[in-house]
Every structure is written in C-alpha cells, then in structure tokens.
Amino acid sequence: MSPFVLFFYMCRAALLSTGGFGNVSSLHDDFVGHRWANNNQFVEALTVGQVSPGPNGLWVVSLGYLMLGAWGSVAAMVAITLPPFLVIGVEKLYRRVQHHPAVEGFVRGIMLAVIGTLVTVLMNLLNSSGLDTLKVTLTLLSFGLGWLPRIPVVAIISFCGLVGFLAYR
Amino acid sequence: MTLIRRASVDQHRWLTDEEFNRDWALCQMTPGINLIALSILIGRRIAGWRGVAICLLGLVFPSALLTILLTAAYVSIRGLPAIQATLKGLLPASVGLGLVTAVQMGRKPAGDAWQLGIWTTVFVVFLTVGSGALLASGKLSVTLVLLCAGIIGAVENSIRYRLSGSKDEQ
C-alpha cells in the first residue's frame, strides 16, 4: 500500500463525515476490510489521538504512522487538512440555499448514520480482543467519567492503562 | 474551541459573537475536522489566504508533530509484554470515551428533533440505530450506509416541509 492510497481513503472518509471521530467507521471498513491495518492499530491510534494535544481528529496521523511510517503520517495530515477547506464553499452555498429542506435533511441523515456506525465500530473493537468483566467495567467507567469536565482525558486513559497493566501482565 | 472563541471574540475582537456562532454552525456542516474549518474561516477573515496558512500551521502542525512523536515512542516499546497488558486496559478507555463523543454528537440533532415533535424524534432514533444495525449486519459498507441515510434524511425532511407548508396555507 502506498501513501497515496492511504491519502485517498482518508480524504474520502473525511469528506463523508464531520468532526474528529466521524471518520472512524469508514476507515475501519476500508483499512481492516482490505487487511491494510488491524483492530489493534486502530485502538492504538485512537488512544494516542486522545492523549496528544490538539484536535482529536489528528488520531489519523497516528494511524498513518502505524501503517506506513513517517510518509503515512504526512499523507494523513494532508488528507485531513484539505476537506475542511470546503467550508468556504459551504459558506457561499449557505447564503443561497440557506434552508433547503433536502440539503438540510441529507446532512442530518449522514450525521445520524455517522453516530450509529461509530457505536457499532466501537463495539466491534471492544469485542475484537475477547470480552471480560473487567473490560466492560472499564468501558462503563470511562464513559461515565468522560462527562466530567474536571477529570482530564489523560487521567482516565492512564488509570485504565494502569489497571490493564496490573490485571493482564 | 472555547480557547479559540476566547482569543478571537473576547480578546482580539476579530469577529462578533454572532459571527462566531454562525461560523461554528457552518463548520459543523463541513466535512472533516470542525476546528480546522473554523480556523480557515477566521484566518481568511482576518488576513486572507495568508491568514489561513498561518492559522493552519498553528493549529495542525505542532499537534500533528507531537502525535507522530508519541506514536513513534509507542512503537519503540510496543513489543514489551507490559505494554501489551496496558493496551488491554487502554482499549476500554478509548471505547468509553468514543461513546461519550457519539452521545455528544447526537445531543444536538436529538434535541432539535424533540422540538419538532414525536414523529421526528422516532425517525431520528430509527435512522441512527438503523444505520448502526445495518453496518453490524455486514450487508453494506459504511460509505453506502452513510449515503443511504443521507438520502432517507433528505426525503423525510422534504416531505415534512411540504406537509407543514400546506398546513400554513390553510
């Protein structure tokens, strides 16, 4: 697989979604489906994306690195920087068709499907390495703690990592 | 987002509160990372294309570099059994936090639908759960699921507008 192919798929996934994690399910479908990446790499990249500063969407830069090294991460970085430029077109279009029902409905439909498929992919990831009580507990715990703005994401991730280290070593 | 808002609206007065809200709404409709789209709009308004370039360089480059360094550091130690054990704990954390993101993404459309009435709410829930289930069944690829949901959404919205429009005329 070449960085250009990676670039193409990442661009396509970004074009079909909005927000930093909206592209998880498309990319999972494409990359794991073609066996270019495995579930582990997805988990690793998502975790690094959540730990590192800046937009969460940069998780694909980590995925690019895991798949193809430095060139993979450069391809990923360019691929996620380009689609947001459409905002300039969206701004112009917005003035013309401000509330066209079909456009509005299309955008909303995709947004809802992004949420639904994201949940499915997350469940698949959780399932992929064998499910046990501890993993379910940690998932529910992070889900609960994730709502509290006072608790930094890094703290939640470190805690779960530590529990994993103690339990599975 | 909060930090960008504080800097560009409150401190430097590059744009008004209302402009910022409108820009942010547009960014949420735009494909890709919302924050990148936002910095493109703000940068362009302040200093044209040069502003865009500088904003992107400031937003994407340092964070991407750190992400790469973190990944590289991780790759060099991933072989250790201790790291593999830690990873098993990290997986649920990523999934749990990802679920938080999913719910956060869904709050706005769900709230809007609730205000439009029970039928729209049922439709929104159906479309969300349905696309997740369709993907889980393995019959369609993600891209197709998304496009189908978009088309269904467009049809539903058009019909609803037409119905409410005819009611207004009477």
Side-chain angles (χ1 to χ4, degrees):
Chain A
M1 184 198 197
S2 81
F4 293 104
V5 179
L6 184 103
F7 171 83
F8 168 76
Y9 279 103
M10 284 193 172
C11 246
R12 192 178 75 162
L15 281 172
L16 275 172
S17 66
T18 174
F21 287 137
N23 53 0
V24 175
S25 36
S26 301
L27 286 178
H28 189 266
D29 210 37
D30 292 333
F31 291 166
V32 179
H34 283 102
R35 295 180 190 276
W36 289 328
N38 55 41
N39 272 324
N40 250 344
Q41 288 172 316
F42 265 80
V43 174
E44 292 162 358
L46 283 170
T47 311
V48 172
Q50 269 160 342
V51 175
S52 73
N56 279 342
L58 291 178
W59 74 275
V60 295
V61 172
S62 179
L63 184 66
Y65 188 93
L66 290 173
M67 288 171 68
L68 295 174
W71 283 113
S73 56
V74 172
M77 193 166 80
V78 181
I80 50 162
T81 313
L82 291 182
F85 272 93
L86 286 174
V87 74
I88 294 168
V90 170
E91 196 189 21
K92 289 202 178 110
L93 198 73
Y94 181 75
R95 295 214 183 99
R96 219 173 300 161
V97 288
Q98 261 191 24
H99 287 299
H100 195 282
V103 178
E104 211 180 71
F106 187 75
V107 172
R108 188 164 31 153
I110 288 194
M111 199 159 88
L112 295 173
V114 160
I115 300 167
T117 52
L118 176 61
V119 173
T120 302
V121 169
L122 289 173
M123 289 304 120
N124 284 343
L125 282 179
L126 191 64
N127 238 332
S128 66
S129 64
L131 216 53
D132 56 33
T133 328
L134 182 63
K135 276 183 193 154
V136 175
T137 315
L138 286 179
T139 305
L140 292 175
L141 190 73
S142 333
F143 179 71
L145 292 177
W147 290 99
L148 307 174
R150 279 201 191 164
I151 301 181
V153 168
V154 178
I156 301 173
I157 290 180
S158 315
F159 174 76
C160 291
L162 186 68
V163 173
F165 170 70
L166 295 174
Y168 297 108
R169 74 187 152 155
Chain B
M1 206 274 267
T2 325
L3 289 177
I4 294 182
R5 184 193 187 105
R6 230 176 267 161
S8 55
V9 179
D10 301 341
Q11 288 168 5
H12 296 282
R13 319 232 160 181
W14 286 325
L15 57 173
T16 65
D17 232 12
E18 206 185 315
E19 282 173 328
F20 187 92
N21 283 346
R22 200 206 54 148
D23 280 0
W24 183 239
L26 287 178
C27 291
Q28 282 175 317
M29 284 190 272
T30 307
I33 301 176
N34 302 334
L35 277 177
I36 295 183
L38 184 67
S39 68
I40 290 172
L41 278 184
I42 296 179
R44 186 158 158 258
R45 188 164 293 166
I46 301 165
W49 286 105
R50 213 186 310 165
V52 173
I54 290 172
C55 278
L56 283 183
L57 217 60
L59 179 76
V60 179
F61 200 65
S63 318
L65 201 65
L66 265 170
T67 308
I68 296 173
L69 290 178
L70 270 173
T71 316
Y74 165 75
V75 167
S76 66
I77 54 167
R78 76 162 19 141
L80 302 175
I83 299 299
Q84 286 306 314
T86 310
L87 198 66
K88 282 192 183 150
L90 291 181
L91 167 72
S94 271
V95 172
L97 293 170
L99 288 175
V100 173
T101 313
V103 177
Q104 277 170 345
M105 284 161 81
R107 272 199 301 196
K108 172 95 170 68
D112 289 350
W114 183 248
Q115 284 190 333
L116 286 170
I118 187 76
W119 149 244
T120 321
T121 313
V122 172
F123 174 74
V124 160
V125 173
F126 167 76
L127 206 54
T128 312
V129 177
S131 357
L134 199 59
L135 180 68
S137 76
K139 290 205 176 81
L140 283 183
S141 73
V142 173
T143 315
L144 283 177
V145 173
L146 296 187
L147 287 177
C148 285
I151 292 166
I152 297 174
V155 170
E156 188 267 348
N157 215 36
S158 308
I159 293 174
R160 194 161 44 74
Y161 263 76
R162 201 152 294 167
L163 289 178
S164 63
S166 58
K167 248 182 253 162
D168 289 345
E169 282 162 15
Q170 280 165 2

